[in-house]
Each structure stands twice: as C-alpha cells, then as structure tokens.
Amino acid sequence: MASINTIEFKDEKLYLIDQRKLPGKLSIFECENFRDVEFAIKDMVVRGAPAIGVAGAYGLVLAAKEFIHLPKEEFFNEMAKSVQLIGNARPTAVNLMWAVKRMKDIMEANNDKSNEEIYKALLDEAKAIEKEDLETNKSIARYGNEIIPENSTILTHCNTGALATVGYGTALGVIREAHYSGKNISVFADETRPRLQGAKLTAWELVQEGIPVTLIPDSVAPVLIRDGKIDVIIVGADRIASNGDTANKIGTYMLSQIAKDFNVPFYVAAPISTIDFDIKSGEQIVIEERDISEVTHIDGIRIAPEGVKVYNPAFDVTPHENITGIITEKGIIKPPYVKNISRLLK
Ligand code: MRU
C-alpha cells in the first residue's frame, strides 16, 4: 500500500489512480494534456486537497509542453488561460490555487528564457511540489502521533490518505504512524455521504494495511462519541483561515460540534499549504456545490424521485473554537490560532 502511486508523471503524461472506480477496480486515468487534468480534478478522478494541488501543477507542465512551439507572447497568453482553467477546477481546496501560484511565479521569474527552459523550470517545480508533499505528510504524521494515546479508538471522516495526497496522507498518515509505531489503535471511518470517500477509499486503504477499521454510516458517529467510544477525532482540511476556521468535507462541522459537547479532542491534520493566510475567517471560504446527481443517485442508480430539489455542498466550515489543535509539518498549532498561525509566516 505504501507503494501506491496516486499521481505519477512519466513520459510527458500524468497518470492518476481513477478514484471514481475504487474499491471495485484499480485503474489508471491517463492525462495527455491540461484539459484532461482539468477534467480529472473536476470529476474527482483525483481528489483530496494536496493531491489536486500536485495534479494541477503537472497540468501546467502539460500545458507548457503543448504550447512550447508558439511565439513567446502567445505562449504566455495560452499559459495564462491554462492557469485560469486549472486553478478554478475546484474552488474550496486552497492547495490547488497555492500550487498553481507556485507554477505561475516560476513562469514569471523565467519570462526572459526560452519556452524550452520555462518548460524545464515548470517540470522541476512540479516535481518539487510532489516531493515536498510526501515529506510534509511524514512530518505531520510524526507530530500527530504524539497526540494518539496507546490503545485508542480514532474517528475520521472522508479520505485523507495516500489517495488524497502524493502518499501516506495527512489525518490518515497520523493514523498510519500510530499503527506502525506499535500503538494498539482502531479506527471508525465515517462512510462520508454523498460520495462515500470513507467507505470507498479510507476503508480500502486501511483494510489493505491491516489497520483495524470499522465503517459506519455518518449518523452513527454522534452516538459513539456520546457513549465514550471515541478517544480522539482527526480530520483533514481543504482550507484553513488565519483564525483557524477550517473547511473540510461536509459533515466535519457536525462531528466537531458533538466532540465539543462531549469533550472529545478534535484535531485537524493539514500541511501549511492548506492555510490561506489571505483570509481572516471561514466566512470568506467559497464552498463548492456539486451536481445534484451525487445525492439523487448512488453508483448511477437513482435513489430519489425525479424533480426533487437537492442541496449538495461538498464542504462545511468548522469554527476554530471547536478545534483542539491543527497538526502541521512544523508542529501542532494550538489556540489562540490568530496569534499562533501568524507566527508561521515569520
Ligand atoms: O471532495 P474531496 O474528496 O476532494 O474532499 C476531500 C476532503 O475533504 C479531505 O478531507 C481534504 O481534502 C484533506 S485530504 C488530505
């Protein structure tokens, strides 16, 4: 499982595990150009905040390859359009915009160079973003392991594992680390309606690694928390505001609120690239609304009547007051978040 390649750039193509098909089928989705990458992000072939950031960076490498033969001005015009398309493929996870900005900065810093040299610089940057992600996750996992008690039961939501990143994962990376370090842990995984990332992806990753996991309908979590069956909750993040408010998969807010009621520690695990230092609070986070078919259908089979109205936000915002700590690659950030998050900028 550690060898899983969620994302691989090889022979000028981007290869992605097609997460829409798991766990039934392990198949690879091939991206020949940046439009394929845009589609893959939008349709959730690849998903999870860090993973879409890395995929987006390689999307711009593919765009540079496609436009390499154009005169300089046209090359830059086409690249600017690709930056827009890739950067806007999904609106909530800030890692996508963060990675796209890193690529854009590289283009600007090299604008006096040949298109070939710019292509090479972009490829190097995308590879750096990919490599850093794995190192970051290992560091998050080590810090996170400190808050996992021996013999504990952990609740998690959505998928934050190797599939949501380049490898290892964020919240699931912490769980992996705790398991490998010999702690006797077990996991409750929320199935995560409507797209079932918990059932399809988290359960798949944990079962493959032999980490004890029990899959539950999302609505079971409050009962387990109330009954003292959960020692700690760890989730990932798609965007963290400067005050610690955290956007993550829909259902996270509800968990955090119940955790607060019953004094269960509630941690967010995320790389610093998930922090949006430009926004003050969660109110400024754009929440993606996805197609109604995610709610009216399960695996292509209609489960709701034709014509019903549907509301399908993909994320919610957990207020910082509900968060015990934010586990990053530089350590665990504790409240007061405004002060302790801003320290990271120094
Ligand atoms: O819609 P998704 O599947 O991309 O949502 C993923 C999540 O909400 C994850 O918790 C988050 O991106 C962190 S992944 C390390």
Side-chain angles (χ1 to χ4, degrees):
M1 182 62 195
S3 64
I4 190 171
N5 277 336
T6 304
I7 297 174
E8 195 173 348
F9 191 78
K10 210 172 53 186
D11 306 329
E12 293 174 359
K13 282 184 192 159
L14 182 67
Y15 296 92
L16 303 166
I17 289 186
D18 191 339
Q19 301 191 34
R20 301 168 306 176
K21 309 260 168 74
L22 288 172
K25 199 166 160 221
L26 180 55
S27 60
I28 302 297
F29 185 90
E30 199 177 295
C31 302
E32 287 192 5
N33 55 50
F34 72 94
R35 290 169 215 86
D36 294 342
V37 178
E38 186 207 5
F39 170 82
I41 295 172
K42 279 193 161 150
D43 211 49
M44 294 175 68
V45 171
V46 61
R47 31 68 48 204
I52 63 174
V54 176
Y58 279 117
L60 293 175
V61 172
L62 292 174
K65 190 77 205 169
E66 183 171 332
F67 302 126
I68 205 161
H69 302 297
L70 294 177
K72 193 58 146 303
E73 204 185 318
E74 277 179 57
F75 173 80
F76 268 90
N77 284 342
E78 291 302 329
M79 287 306 289
K81 284 188 219 157
S82 316
V83 160
Q84 282 300 317
L85 278 180
I86 296 277
N88 293 328
R90 290 189 76 188
T92 304
V94 79
N95 308 61
L96 179 60
M97 298 96 189
W98 168 86
V100 164
K101 179 168 184 315
R102 270 181 69 162
M103 299 297 277
K104 209 170 144 222
D105 290 349
I106 289 291
M107 270 190 298
E108 278 158 19
N110 289 284
N111 67 2
D112 55 338
K113 307 258 174 67
S114 69
N115 292 355
E116 284 76 12
E117 285 168 315
I118 297 172
Y119 169 77
K120 175 80 180 47
L122 288 173
L123 180 57
D124 287 347
E125 187 69 0
K127 283 182 180 166
I129 294 172
E130 179 182 356
K131 187 163 169 274
E132 284 164 28
D133 185 61
L134 192 56
E135 288 160 5
T136 297
N137 294 340
K138 294 269 172 79
S139 182
I140 291 173
R142 280 191 296 272
Y143 281 116
N145 193 18
E146 290 170 16
I147 58 95
I148 305 291
E150 291 279 357
N151 304 315
S152 54
T153 303
I154 305 162
L155 175 67
T156 191
H157 191 64
C158 195
N159 174 267
T160 59
L163 291 165
T165 59
V166 170
Y168 219 64
T170 57
L172 216 59
V174 174
I175 290 170
R176 274 201 166 90
E177 189 77 8
H179 173 76
Y180 291 140
S181 70
K183 288 178 183 167
N184 178 28
I185 59 151
S186 61
V187 180
F188 278 105
D190 283 348
E191 63 176 352
T192 319
R193 276 286 290 155
R195 286 192 69 109
L196 303 170
Q197 290 94 329
K200 294 184 173 190
L201 310 177
T202 300
W204 185 71
E205 287 196 37
L206 292 176
V207 164
Q208 288 209 31
E209 288 209 28
I211 300 176
V213 57
T214 306
L215 180 65
I216 50 170
D218 298 331
S219 41
V220 172
V223 176
L224 292 175
I225 295 169
R226 183 201 62 195
D227 293 349
K229 301 270 170 56
I230 304 295
D231 298 300
V232 55
I233 300 171
I234 317 181
V235 298
D238 288 84
R239 193 186 298 216
I240 300 171
S242 304
N243 70 346
D245 290 352
T246 294
N248 190 51
K249 180 54 55 197
I250 191 77
T252 305
Y253 165 56
M254 180 172 71
L255 276 185
S256 76
Q257 199 62 38
I258 292 161
K260 195 177 177 191
D261 287 350
F262 291 95
N263 286 317
V264 173
F266 182 92
Y267 284 91
V268 169
I272 289 166
S273 55
T274 305
I275 301 176
D276 187 345
F277 294 96
D278 292 337
I279 59 168
K280 283 199 169 120
S281 80
E283 278 172 32
Q284 289 163 274
I285 299 176
V286 178
I287 299 293
E288 175 183 13
E289 272 186 52
R290 294 194 58 87
D291 197 86
I292 66 165
S293 63
E294 290 185 349
V295 179
T296 55
H297 291 68
I298 293 182
D299 287 340
I301 296 168
R302 177 172 277 282
I303 56 156
E306 296 270 5
V308 69
K309 265 206 315 199
V310 171
Y311 176 45
N312 184 24
F315 303 97
D316 57 29
V317 175
T318 294
H320 60 92
E321 303 91 296
N322 290 8
I323 300 171
T324 312
I326 301 172
I327 308 162
T328 74
E329 67 272 31
K330 288 200 181 168
I332 302 178
I333 310 173
K334 292 276 193 166
Y337 290 115
V338 173
K339 186 168 134 229
N340 293 337
I341 287 178
S342 70
R343 275 197 187 145
L344 291 171
L345 280 176
K346 292 179 188 135

